[in-house]
Amino acid sequence: MFKDPIVIAGAGPVGMTVADILSLKGIPVVVLEKGSTPSREWRASTFHAGTMELLEPFGVADELMKRGLPADKVQYRDRKTGLYAEFDFSLLKDETKYPFRLQCSQATYVEILAQRLSTRPHAKLLFDSEVVDFEQDESGVNVTVQTPSGSYQIRTPYLLGADGGRSTVRKKLGVGFDGYTLEERWLLVGTPVPFDRYIPDLAFVNYISDPEEFLFILRVPEAWRFLYPISPETSDEVALNPENIQKTLQKALHTTDTFPIVENTIYKIHQRVADSFYDGRVILLGDAAHINSPMGGLGLNSGIHDAIDLSIRLLRISEGAEFGPEFDTYNEVRRWVAMEYVRKISEKNTNVVKEKDPAHRLQLQKEMAELAADPERAKKWLLASAMIASAREEGIGELPKTQV
């Protein structure tokens, strides 16, 4: 058992997952969050079957099922010609007890974990507390924390950087964050009005191809969400103008109706992976280690997989395992998943909906249609997109099966 608590920078879904698992197993933790409250942003809202399986042993999957909305199909549509491919998660009914994507906002997930932490005396969740610096030595890390009333230091055997894409922990480590940022931005809009009222047979998850203005439509318990691109020439102010948002919704849904808007957020889209996920006793996970396009719902899920993998390794280290080999394998496995799995799938989903060349766009659609129409290939695709394949093949908290 560790003498001092594990310090976690960031109270988002990834940092809170580590805190929940470690404290559940009796490891003291301190979560430091620079915000004054848990984030109420919906942001990511899909929990894949592979993630639900990994959360089940810790009792979190049952809580999510009470709050989430199962989506049993994923549709690919063309803005002009309509549906061209549909993937049915019932193909996975013999593979998992979660043959669906569970739609539930990350804010709800964080709320569930915060409630669980509040019942554990050896778990502290501190707000208005930002990790601004640290120094590590052979036996631990001295972390400097900034609060409204001043700064202080806390000692920890390991500092976990789950502080997002702009991670202070990663920057202080001096770790590279290679990749690219799309020139365009994307606008996410939410409304409680059901979109299937306007588009018959619309699934809860939909990728809609269009060379000028692709769409991503999905349902969460609170609303229908609508994601579309903003040109580099369009200012945030113009994009967020209520009249312009209404025009975009009306055009997509072929209506003159107006829609109450319950969320509108502009995103920059990045595809980046850290050069290393750890240095000594400081470890990166989630968006601090890798960020990607939201097409496919892989960012939140792969971050939670990082958290579970790292938690299992820390539990083994608390029982006497050497941290070097554990973190080496964590770095190898999780970087591979980020580079060769998450990035490739999210890039493919993005390219399918935004391809501008007519011939290539039709070819991509034809390939997706043929894939969806072949049950064997569709099942393999679903196992990958549901993150079942990556969790099982590479292992969580284990050596990759190819290296055992």
Side-chain angles (χ1 to χ4, degrees):
M1 189 65 68
F2 303 120
K3 176 183 176 182
D4 297 312
I6 301 292
V7 170
I8 302 162
V14 175
M16 292 290 280
T17 299
V18 179
D20 179 69
I21 294 172
L22 293 182
S23 61
L24 178 68
K25 300 299 184 180
I27 303 292
V29 297
V30 174
V31 184
L32 302 169
E33 168 56 46
K34 67 179 181 180
S36 57
T37 62
S39 173
R40 295 187 176 89
E41 289 185 331
W42 293 353
R43 283 190 174 267
S45 55
T46 289
F47 289 81
H48 288 300
T51 304
M52 297 295 289
E53 289 182 348
L54 292 173
L55 290 172
E56 185 174 357
F58 309 108
V60 181
D62 288 343
E63 291 296 320
L64 273 173
M65 287 297 297
K66 296 175 185 176
R67 308 282 288 274
L69 182 70
D72 59 0
K73 293 181 176 66
V74 173
Q75 292 181 345
Y76 286 79
R77 294 172 172 267
D78 183 273
R79 188 144 177 174
K80 294 181 180 179
T81 60
L83 179 68
Y84 61 84
E86 180 178 86
F87 293 87
D88 190 333
F89 281 94
S90 67
L91 290 172
L92 300 183
K93 62 184 179 182
D94 295 330
E95 293 283 346
T96 177
K97 65 183 287 187
Y98 305 102
F100 46 77
R101 288 170 58 149
L102 189 72
Q103 301 300 104
C104 182
S105 78
Q106 70 174 51
T108 299
Y109 178 68
V110 169
E111 178 185 322
I112 290 170
L113 298 184
Q115 290 172 349
R116 288 162 62 94
L117 289 183
S118 69
T119 66
R120 300 172 188 161
H122 50 285
K124 294 182 180 179
L125 176 54
L126 305 179
F127 296 102
D128 296 315
S129 302
E130 181 179 6
V131 173
V132 294
D133 204 357
F134 57 85
E135 291 184 359
Q136 59 175 315
D137 53 44
E138 291 183 358
S139 61
V141 187
N142 293 317
V143 182
T144 302
V145 184
Q146 184 67 49
T147 73
S149 58
S151 63
Y152 68 92
Q153 285 198 335
I154 182 171
R155 180 74 173 175
T156 180
Y158 302 101
L159 170 62
L160 312 188
D163 49 343
R166 299 177 180 177
S167 171
T168 296
V169 175
R170 186 188 67 246
K171 292 174 182 176
K172 291 291 182 180
L173 277 179
V175 172
F177 203 39
D178 290 340
Y180 60 87
T181 299
L182 294 183
E183 187 178 11
E184 67 194 9
R185 292 150 295 145
W186 294 1
L187 174 56
L188 179 65
V189 174
T191 176
V193 178
F195 289 166
D196 52 0
R197 183 185 299 173
Y198 302 91
I199 303 177
D201 302 320
L202 188 70
F204 285 173
V205 181
N206 310 271
Y207 300 94
I208 303 178
S209 305
D210 187 274
E212 301 302 326
E213 188 179 67
F214 64 83
L215 306 172
F216 178 36
I217 296 176
L218 75 161
R219 171 83 188 276
V220 294
E222 300 87 349
W224 282 81
R225 309 183 86 186
F226 189 93
L227 183 71
Y228 58 95
I230 305 167
S231 70
E233 297 77 24
T234 303
S235 68
D236 286 2
E237 183 180 6
V238 170
L240 292 171
N241 180 282
E243 185 176 340
N244 290 332
I245 290 175
Q246 292 295 331
K247 287 179 180 178
T248 301
L249 289 169
Q250 289 164 351
K251 177 183 176 183
L253 301 175
H254 309 290
T255 182
T256 58
D257 293 352
T258 57
F259 299 84
I261 304 302
V262 295
E263 68 165 335
N264 53 14
T265 304
I266 291 178
Y267 294 96
K268 284 188 174 181
I269 305 302
H270 311 271
Q271 293 279 122
R272 298 183 181 276
V273 178
D275 293 346
S276 176
F277 284 14
Y278 92 101
D279 182 354
R281 291 174 173 266
V282 182
I283 309 97
L284 303 174
L285 61 166
D287 285 356
H290 50 86
I291 50 179
N292 58 272
S293 163
M295 290 295 188
L298 301 177
L300 168 66
N301 288 268
S302 60
I304 292 175
H305 290 207
D306 292 347
I308 296 171
D309 184 290
L310 182 57
S311 296
I312 293 171
R313 297 184 189 283
L314 286 167
L315 290 170
R316 287 209 290 259
I317 292 167
S318 75
E319 296 171 353
E322 294 185 14
F323 72 83
E326 291 288 349
F327 295 161
D328 280 343
T329 306
Y330 167 80
N331 178 67
E332 179 184 350
V333 172
R334 301 314 304 165
R335 280 198 84 249
W336 183 91
V337 171
M339 294 284 290
E340 301 299 325
Y341 181 86
V342 173
R343 186 165 71 176
K344 287 185 176 179
I345 291 179
S346 59
E347 283 182 338
K348 183 174 182 179
N349 280 332
T350 302
N351 292 337
V352 165
V353 297
K354 65 182 294 187
E355 176 58 49
K356 294 185 180 297
D357 179 77
H360 193 206
R361 184 171 68 255
L362 287 174
Q363 179 61 32
L364 290 173
Q365 292 182 7
K366 180 174 181 289
E367 291 172 1
M368 291 298 289
E370 291 174 349
L371 177 61
D374 183 331
E376 185 175 341
R377 293 175 62 211
K379 181 177 180 179
K380 185 177 179 180
W381 183 90
L382 286 166
L383 285 169
S385 65
M387 301 197 77
I388 296 173
S390 67
R392 293 178 182 175
E393 291 173 9
E394 290 305 312
I396 294 293
E398 303 173 355
L399 287 169
K401 288 183 172 57
T402 55
Q403 297 181 20
V404 172

